[in-house]
Amino acid sequence: MPLLTLTIWPALDDAGLQLAVARELSNHTERLLGKQRSLTAVRIQAAPDAWFIGGEPLPGVRTFALDIRITAGTNTEVEKSAWIAAAWDSLAKAIPGAVAPASYISIHEIEAGSWGYTGRTQAARRQEAVMA
């Protein structure tokens, strides 16, 4: 049940490109992290116009921050590293124009009891699976 948020500046206004990026990130998440595609949510949002790197505005380049939330302890360091590399490669190819090197990808691992979906935590789901 990963949740991905891609914040990009300037905005990706092309709906077809947004869909392609969402599909590619979902593919990587399923293939490399073993997550269920049907539970993978991707949100693409535009950053405010005030995005700076090194205290300077970004003329002529794009930048992004990609965050993914997953349940803590469900993936190895190797899997997470492969996902970050694949996500970076896909975004660098898909985003028109030059991408600033100071664009970031973060994996946030949340304890199973601290998040969930459909009103149940991941910890509750795990316990139900053990009891079944």
Side-chain angles (χ1 to χ4, degrees):
M1 58 161 260
L3 171 61
L4 291 79
T5 303
L6 174 62
T7 305
I8 189 163
W9 184 89
L12 284 181
D13 294 326
D14 181 325
L17 182 55
Q18 290 176 356
L19 179 59
V21 166
R23 286 180 174 163
E24 187 77 6
L25 292 173
S26 295
N27 288 342
H28 294 321
T29 303
E30 180 180 39
R31 182 175 52 87
L32 299 171
L33 298 178
K35 306 302 184 191
Q36 289 183 14
R37 185 181 185 84
S38 63
L39 298 176
T40 300
V42 178
R43 178 176 181 231
I44 299 173
Q45 62 187 18
D49 288 341
W51 193 314
F52 303 88
I53 295 177
E56 300 299 324
L58 300 175
V61 297
R62 288 189 180 266
T63 191
F64 67 84
L66 174 61
D67 297 303
I68 184 172
R69 292 181 178 110
I70 60 174
T71 305
T74 58
N75 291 100
T76 67
E77 295 300 317
V78 170
E79 290 168 333
K80 292 182 286 186
S81 180
W83 185 86
I84 288 173
W88 176 272
D89 186 56
S90 290
L91 290 170
K93 288 177 183 173
I95 295 171
V99 175
S103 299
Y104 296 98
I105 300 175
S106 302
I107 297 176
H108 303 273
E109 294 189 89
I110 303 171
E111 292 300 321
S114 296
W115 85 315
Y117 62 99
T118 65
R120 293 179 17 243
T121 68
Q122 290 297 84
R125 283 187 167 70
R126 193 176 292 159
Q127 183 62 32
E128 290 166 8
V130 169
M131 301 300 285

